[in-house]
């Protein structure tokens, strides 16, 4: 009985046959991979040993795995972040996406830490998890609904107000490859196309209500661990002043001062001051903020919120007067506000609301818009093209938020030719437009690994540059970049880890690859525990692994050490790397777009910087820090054996993807 | 509007022992979780002695026992002495040994601040012997103040000692 303390089961649902099964988490697996992202990645790895690894991600053979880490939903102070893991239909490689929301907590309270969905239903269905009762129900009446109405309909149908859902919008139904999965309606698992996998499985939603709770081995010791941790979370001034008020919106001003806010499709790196003033978190709290909220249970930071548009705040506001909704994140502020040059927060708030309703990844979608706008500025596309593609001659000038809405509808609802051009992501869209136009336009696309776009300025920020080039799920910040020391200037932590402060020095290449490798291991630990990276991933001194180990020991009764946690994080990074290596990804796939590589930054403190100057040496350093091969980027047998992953090494050897 | 309501609330709060201010509630549910940890030894909001529900618009609505001076639950109880005032804290608590689980008190509570556990037991706040664990863990406190928002010095869950 002791084994089940602090842990749930793995729930498996096969949509083809409609069968449901449960199995306990093997103790060895929990120790080696902790939970959350770690166990998810392991389950994905095992699934793709049974089915062909080259299988089409939209086929029934793909799998989508939900997982909440062992400290998620326990009130441990850093919320409940869950992971959705699958083979990505967007990039064709390892795919995962995290989300907040109360759904993950209900999954755990119902007794399941992981949910594995395979197969494909022959008509739209949804999964209803009510403690021990799990059923696959008809969702034909929900198909075609936006996220919020579908959520409402499910709650009414099942008769509980406290049901939480993970739902796809119409973009997911139409299998747009970067469709998001909307968890508890407003927390999107956006990146790499979880919504598309749902759509391909004819799965509209998963609804959960958990009343069984989580057994804790030593409640008093666990309460003490919570108190220690929450005190630490509330300690930094930056948490109290910025995170608690405005969450991710708060870093925009800092980014802009540091020349890290890409402007007009990243042709520039700082936003003109008059526009900055209308995009800051201060403008938001003064004009739109209604109240703050926690996105998920057990978060003492509470960086989410609600807004209300009164109608006189900005030129766009009268149109949306009276609208309330959940607050946008930094992705909207940079993605539309500065990349598309829309310095109008009410418009951004409305765009955010609509992308949540249709279920689209905001990052990829907003960069698709800024890309189109740059093509418009350069005269490569004009009204004839938009007329042909969208049915009406829409102008795509900078700042035209109505055009952005039109593009959103084209893509999410797959209404017209433009929607089809952008269905498979920005990189393929650029190739398609290039074929249509016969002029080179790939230099204007912003992307990193996997052709996945990302909203940042990595040229003068080498640690983010290398992180975006190597991240296992394609260009992204949550796999490592957020825990690197350079961007938030932490020489103290650099000295702590490396004995010298250079890893935190801005715009220099020293130690950046090594720091990225360390940060990846760190982020894997946080994501495996079901906690939120934002307030805690960076500061390894204030929130050391030992702190989490103590809490997990108290809750599960299985003694664990901080060192074991660090190893578990490294194992997860290696497993994701191995998954990609099996698919044939090598060093040359760890790349950045031409704009970042070759074009020097034109303004800001990092003026003149370009990624070409640091990327290759930083990658060398990164592979070496992970103990991987420099030339091919492949893992070595020695490293995998050190991590007790000989079985993975065996598979890789068979497929010629390991350095002996 | 804001200030009047708050003045009224402040005046009322001095006659009560524990109150939750929905205006400032984040909906983080820390209170529910730590309450269930303390009272039931596990994480399960459905065993907590207070609840945070959400309105249809998504606004958190905390519900907590007010330890009323004239308590409808106590009046509804047919068992003499099943409800009594705790000597140290003045909290209105249930004597488990005398409770017959008729649930009349739960029906009578005008604030719907009493619940029924899976075994039919009544879940009611008892102020944790004067050190309410929910108040301790409520993140919305003046120490973690919010300079940008109205009423930065307010907190959500408050433990107010009854006037002598």
């Amino acid at each position: 009985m002791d084994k089940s303390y602090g842990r749930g089961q793995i729930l498996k649902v096969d949509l083809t046959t409609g069968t449901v099964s449960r199995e306990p988490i093997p103790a060895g697996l929990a120790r080696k991979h902790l939970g959350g992202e770690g166990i998810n990645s392991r389950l994905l790895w095992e699934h793709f040993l049974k089915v062909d690894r080259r299988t089409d991600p939209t086929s029934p053979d793909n799998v989508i795995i939900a997982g909440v880490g062992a400290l998620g939903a326990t009130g441990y102070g850093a919320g409940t972040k869950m992971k959705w893991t699958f083979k990505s239909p967007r990039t064709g490689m390892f795919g995962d996406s995290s989300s907040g929301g109360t759904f993950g907590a209900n999954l755990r309270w119902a007794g399941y830490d992981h949910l594995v969905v395979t197969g494909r239903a022959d008509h739209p269905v949804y999964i209803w998890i009510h403690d021990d009762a799990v059923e696959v129900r008809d969702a034909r009446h929900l198909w075609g609904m936006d996220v919020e109405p579908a959520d409402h309909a499910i709650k009414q149908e099942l008769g509980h107000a406290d049901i939480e859902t993970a739902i796809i919008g119409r973009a997911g139904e139409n299998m747009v490859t970067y469709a998001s999965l909307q968890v508890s309606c407003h927390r999107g698992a956006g990146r790499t196309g979880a919504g598309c996998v749902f759509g391909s499985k004819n799965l509209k939603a998963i609804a959960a209500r958990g009343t069984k709770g989580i057994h804790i081995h030593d409640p008093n010791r666990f309460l003490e661990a919570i108190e220690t941790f929450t005190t630490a979370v509330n300690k930094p001034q930056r948490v109290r002043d910025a995170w608690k008020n405005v969450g991710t919106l708060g870093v925009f001003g800092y980014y802009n001062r540091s020349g890290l806010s890409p402007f007009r499709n990243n042709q520039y790196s700082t936003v003109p001051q008059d526009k900055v003033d209308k995009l800051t978190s201060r403008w938001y709290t003064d004009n739109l903020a209604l109240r703050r909220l926690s996105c998920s249970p057990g978060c003492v930071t509470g960086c989410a919120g609600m807004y209300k548009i009164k109608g006189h705040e900005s030129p766009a506001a009268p149109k949306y007067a009276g609208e309330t909704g959940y607050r946008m994140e930094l992705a909207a502020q940079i993605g539309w506000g500065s990349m598309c040059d829309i310095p109008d927060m009410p418009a951004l708030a409305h765009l955010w609301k609509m992308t949540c309703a249709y279920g689209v990844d905001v990052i990829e979608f907003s960069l698709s818009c800024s890309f189109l706008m740059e093509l418009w500025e350069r005269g490569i596309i004009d009204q004839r093209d938009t007329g042909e593609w969208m049915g009406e001659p829409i102008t795509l000038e900078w700042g035209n938020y109505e055009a952005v809405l039109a593009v959103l509808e084209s893509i999410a609802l797959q209404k017209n030719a433009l929607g089809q051009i952008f269905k498979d992501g920005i990189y393929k869209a650029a190739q398609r437009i290039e074929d249509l136009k016969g002029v080179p336009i790939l230099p204007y696309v912003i992307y990193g690994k996997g052709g996945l776009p990302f909203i940042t300025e990595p040229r003068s920020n080498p640690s983010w540059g290398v992180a975006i080039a190597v991240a296992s799920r394609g260009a992204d910040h949550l796999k490592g970049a957020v825990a690197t020391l350079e961007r938030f200037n932490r020489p103290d932590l650099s000295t702590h880890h490396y004995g010298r402060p250079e890893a935190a020095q801005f715009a220099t290449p020293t130690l950046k690859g090594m720091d990225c490798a360390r940060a990846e291991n760190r982020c894997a630990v946080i994501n495996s525990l079901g906690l939120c990276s934002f307030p805690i991933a960076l500061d390894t001194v204030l929130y050391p692994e030992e702190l989490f180990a103590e809490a997990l020991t108290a809750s599960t009764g299985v003694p664990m050490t901080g060192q074991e946690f660090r190893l578990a994080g490294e194992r997860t990074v290696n497993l994701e790397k191995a998954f990609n290596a099996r698919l044939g990804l090598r060093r040359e796939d760890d790349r950045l777009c031409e704009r970042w590589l070759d074009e020097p930054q034109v303004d800001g403190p990092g003026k003149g910087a370009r990624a070409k100057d640091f990327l290759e040496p930083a990658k060398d350093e990164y592979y070496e820090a992970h103990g991987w091969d420099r030339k091919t980027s492949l893992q070595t047998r020695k490293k995998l054996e050190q991590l007790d992953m000989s079985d993975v090494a065996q598979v890789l050897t068979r497929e010629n993807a390991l350095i002996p | 509007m804001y200030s009047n309501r708050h003045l009224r609330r402040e005046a009322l709060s001095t006659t009560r022992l524990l109150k939750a201010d929905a205006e400032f509630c984040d909906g983080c549910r820390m209170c529910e979780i730590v309450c269930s940890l303390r009272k039931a030894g596990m994480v399960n909001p459905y065993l907590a002695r207070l609840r945070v529900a959400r309105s249809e618009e998504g606004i958190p609505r905390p519900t907590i026992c007010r330890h009323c001076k004239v308590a409808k639950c106590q009046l509804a109880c047919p068992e003499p002495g099943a409800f009594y005032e705790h000597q140290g804290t003045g909290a209105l608590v249930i004597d488990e040994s005398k409770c017959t689980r008729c649930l009349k008190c739960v029906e009578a509570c005008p604030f719907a601040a009493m619940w029924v556990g899976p075994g039919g037991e009544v879940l009611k706040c008892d102020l944790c012997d004067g050190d309410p664990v929910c108040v301790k863990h409520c993140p919305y406190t003046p120490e973690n103040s919010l300079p940008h928002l109205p009423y930065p010095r307010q907190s959500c869950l408050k433990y107010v000692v009854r006037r002598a």
Side-chain angles (χ1 to χ4, degrees):
Chain A
M1 196 50 213
D2 276 25
K3 272 183 212 151
S4 70
Y5 279 123
R7 297 266 180 201
Q9 290 179 308
I10 301 172
L11 177 68
K12 293 189 170 171
V13 180
D14 186 338
L15 291 175
T16 311
T17 59
T19 48
V20 175
S21 61
R22 302 164 176 83
E23 51 189 71
I25 299 172
L29 187 61
R31 183 169 279 275
K32 273 175 86 170
H33 289 282
L34 296 177
E37 179 185 346
I39 292 183
N40 269 13
S41 301
R42 182 76 206 184
L43 294 172
L44 183 77
W45 171 263
E46 280 167 8
H47 180 82
F48 277 93
L49 294 179
K50 283 181 276 176
V51 306
D52 181 15
R53 64 184 190 276
R54 298 215 164 74
T55 205
D56 175 15
T58 56
S59 82
D61 279 344
N62 198 1
V63 62
I64 183 155
I65 305 163
V68 194
L71 290 178
T74 60
Y76 189 56
T80 309
K81 276 276 167 92
M82 65 185 305
K83 269 279 178 197
W84 300 84
T85 309
F86 44 90
K87 186 178 172 185
S88 165
R90 168 66 183 80
T91 60
M93 46 190 216
F94 174 85
D96 79 359
S97 195
S98 17
S99 66
T102 314
F103 171 80
N106 272 278
L107 195 64
R108 276 211 89 195
W109 294 336
Y112 310 106
D113 283 10
H114 299 272
L115 166 67
V116 181
V117 183
T118 50
R120 172 191 283 159
D122 52 14
H123 60 82
V125 293
Y126 72 94
I127 299 172
W128 163 224
I129 301 166
H130 192 187
D131 294 339
D132 292 330
V134 179
E135 57 176 317
V136 179
R137 294 174 66 107
D138 191 359
R140 273 177 279 212
H141 58 298
L142 302 173
W143 207 253
M145 275 189 183
D146 285 343
V147 170
E148 272 190 65
D151 174 78
H152 198 70
I154 288 175
K155 281 177 180 159
Q156 279 208 320
E157 187 177 313
L158 299 175
H160 293 283
D162 51 358
I163 288 170
E164 293 291 334
T165 54
I167 298 187
I168 54 167
R170 281 187 273 177
E173 291 172 8
N174 293 327
M175 285 164 68
V176 175
T177 56
Y178 45 96
S180 70
L181 177 59
Q182 294 299 127
V183 178
S184 300
C185 290
H186 312 287
R187 311 310 305 181
R191 308 243 68 197
T192 68
C196 180
V197 180
F198 261 53
S200 76
K201 296 193 172 305
N202 263 332
L203 180 60
K204 175 72 179 175
I206 304 175
R209 180 172 186 264
T211 64
K212 281 166 69 185
I214 305 161
H215 289 278
I216 299 293
H217 180 258
D218 187 343
N220 287 330
R221 188 171 161 195
F222 190 61
L223 269 172
E224 269 168 41
I226 291 178
E227 206 183 335
T228 318
F229 181 70
T230 48
T231 314
V233 172
N234 282 324
K235 208 174 159 195
Q237 194 66 34
R238 114 193 117 78
V239 171
R240 293 208 299 275
D241 284 358
W243 283 109
K244 287 204 174 221
N245 276 326
V246 285
T248 52
L249 295 185
V251 293
F252 182 76
Y254 170 71
Y255 277 11
N256 197 54
R257 287 193 297 282
S258 316
L260 299 170
S261 293
F263 181 58
R264 293 200 171 184
N265 202 31
N266 217 170
Q267 296 178 74
Y268 312 93
S269 311
T270 44
V271 184
Q273 194 55 42
D274 58 321
K275 290 176 178 168
V276 173
D277 293 340
K278 292 180 198 151
L279 283 170
T280 55
S281 54
R282 195 59 205 250
W283 196 95
Y284 172 82
T285 45
D286 285 349
N287 295 287
L288 292 180
L290 191 61
R291 62 178 300 134
R292 42 167 267 193
L293 288 175
S294 290
C295 86
S296 58
C299 179
V300 297
T301 308
C303 73
M306 290 180 91
Y307 68 87
K308 178 167 186 172
I309 301 171
K310 291 182 249 348
H312 52 75
E313 298 93 334
S314 72
K319 248 193 170 146
Y320 310 118
E323 182 181 301
T324 59
Y326 286 79
R327 203 204 63 211
M328 70 190 100
E329 302 284 346
L330 181 67
Q333 212 178 5
I334 293 189
W336 294 308
S338 90
M339 283 292 254
C340 299
D341 196 3
I342 307 174
D344 192 320
M345 277 213 158
L348 306 188
H350 180 72
L351 283 169
W352 182 267
K353 198 180 167 103
M354 293 314 290
T355 41
C356 285
Y358 295 142
V360 183
D361 175 22
V362 171
I363 296 177
E364 177 123 18
F365 169 67
S366 59
L367 265 71
S368 301
C369 297
S370 69
F371 169 62
L372 278 172
M373 286 174 171
E374 182 172 348
L375 294 187
W376 183 275
E377 187 190 31
R378 290 180 185 274
I380 295 168
I381 55 171
D382 54 30
Q383 266 169 337
R384 274 192 315 246
D385 298 303
T386 52
E388 195 184 312
W389 293 340
M390 301 166 78
E392 47 184 325
I394 284 167
T395 58
L396 285 163
E397 271 151 11
W398 297 114
N400 186 352
Y401 58 89
E402 277 162 341
V404 173
L405 267 175
V407 174
L408 174 65
E409 279 180 10
S410 303
I411 295 174
L413 312 184
Q414 288 291 299
K415 271 199 334 201
N416 48 38
L418 187 81
Q420 274 120 44
I421 290 173
F422 276 90
K423 190 183 177 188
D424 297 311
I426 194 170
Y427 191 76
K428 289 222 177 85
Q431 284 173 331
R432 283 172 192 160
I433 297 174
E434 204 167 73
D435 287 346
L436 287 172
K437 289 281 155 193
V439 284
I441 60 167
L442 278 170
Y444 313 132
V445 195
I446 303 295
Y447 65 89
K449 187 176 181 177
L452 207 61
F454 194 67
I455 40 161
T456 190
E457 175 53 84
R459 285 176 285 192
S460 55
N461 194 188
S463 48
W464 277 56
V466 63
I468 284 165
V470 299
S472 62
R473 70 164 171 188
D476 199 73
H477 59 319
L478 291 178
K479 285 287 173 197
V482 287
T484 55
L485 307 174
E486 179 190 0
R487 183 164 281 200
F488 293 101
N489 189 24
R490 293 299 297 266
D492 52 330
L493 292 175
S494 176
T495 314
H496 172 78
H497 287 295
Y498 312 110
R500 50 203 177 112
E502 278 99 323
Q505 205 168 30
F506 190 68
T508 61
T510 332
L511 285 177
K512 297 305 185 301
M514 191 188 278
D515 195 39
C516 174
R518 179 199 59 79
E520 281 190 345
N521 297 344
R522 165 79 174 174
C523 283
V525 173
I526 309 271
N527 288 327
S528 298
L529 290 172
L531 305 177
C532 177
S533 307
F534 281 135
I536 60 172
L538 177 73
D539 203 327
T540 41
V541 172
L542 200 52
Y543 320 110
E545 275 81 359
E546 281 71 15
L547 209 61
F548 312 134
E550 161 64 19
L552 198 63
T553 306
S555 76
T556 60
V558 182
M560 285 197 79
T561 62
Q563 184 54 27
E564 277 180 287
F565 272 46
R566 280 183 281 269
L567 272 177
E570 199 173 351
R571 232 173 251 135
T572 302
V573 172
N574 272 277
L575 201 56
E576 290 169 10
K577 171 80 184 169
F579 185 92
N580 281 339
R582 285 188 78 202
L583 294 170
L585 267 75
R586 298 294 182 265
R587 184 180 171 126
E588 57 276 15
D589 295 297
D590 292 345
R591 63 198 175 129
L592 295 175
C593 62
E594 289 170 42
R595 170 153 292 161
W596 286 339
L597 274 180
D598 302 326
E599 280 180 36
Q601 201 174 315
V602 295
D603 53 12
K607 192 174 173 181
R610 47 180 199 165
K612 208 178 195 171
D613 299 331
F614 65 79
L615 188 63
E616 293 308 317
K619 270 161 67 182
D620 286 343
E621 198 183 283
Y622 164 83
Y623 300 134
E624 226 152 68
H626 268 315
W628 302 341
D629 178 49
R630 273 166 74 152
K631 201 164 141 237
T632 56
S633 90
L634 287 176
Q635 287 148 297
T636 57
R637 176 173 287 278
K638 193 174 141 218
K639 185 76 212 174
L640 290 181
E641 274 169 4
Q642 258 176 24
L643 293 170
D644 198 12
M645 293 168 75
S646 318
D647 57 323
V648 175
Q650 230 168 16
V651 176
L652 292 180
T653 314
R654 210 165 53 219
E655 282 160 16
N656 235 343
L658 189 76
I659 303 296
Chain B
M1 189 185 90
Y2 242 100
S3 56
N4 279 345
R5 266 165 70 191
H6 280 280
L7 282 173
R8 190 164 58 84
R9 278 184 189 175
E10 286 305 317
L12 286 172
S13 71
T14 49
T15 62
R16 287 169 193 169
L17 284 150
L18 197 51
K19 76 182 203 88
D21 200 331
E23 203 82 53
F24 303 114
C25 181
D26 272 4
C28 73
R29 305 178 77 174
M30 279 301 276
C31 49
E32 279 180 290
I33 293 172
V34 293
C35 178
S36 66
L37 266 170
R38 168 70 73 89
K39 293 293 171 196
M42 67 185 296
V43 174
N44 187 352
Y46 293 92
L47 295 180
R49 270 70 170 163
L50 77 169
R51 299 288 160 91
V52 183
R54 293 227 179 188
S55 72
E56 242 173 62
E57 302 83 49
I59 312 281
R61 294 276 172 246
T63 311
I64 192 164
C65 173
R66 297 158 187 238
H67 298 275
C68 309
K69 269 185 170 169
V70 181
K72 291 267 168 71
C73 54
Q74 190 177 17
L75 295 174
C77 181
E79 298 298 317
F83 277 85
Y84 65 97
E85 201 176 283
H86 188 276
Q87 286 300 310
T89 57
L92 190 62
V93 291
I94 299 176
D95 185 343
E96 282 290 336
S97 64
K98 287 183 184 158
C99 174
T100 59
R101 302 188 170 179
C102 71
L103 308 184
K104 290 214 167 88
C105 53
V106 179
E107 280 170 33
C109 177
F111 304 104
M114 294 169 88
W115 297 271
V116 187
E121 71 275 25
V122 176
L123 304 176
K124 184 192 174 301
C125 170
D126 64 359
L127 288 181
C128 295
D129 294 335
D131 183 19
V133 68
C134 53
V135 177
K136 198 159 147 191
H137 284 91
C138 178
Y140 206 120
T141 53
E143 299 91 87
N144 310 319
S145 72
L146 303 152
H148 287 186
L149 292 181
Y151 298 98
R153 305 308 299 172
Q154 286 286 0
S155 54
C156 174
L157 265 177
K158 263 182 276 198
Y159 184 39
V160 186
V161 179
R162 201 192 290 257
R163 212 164 25 200

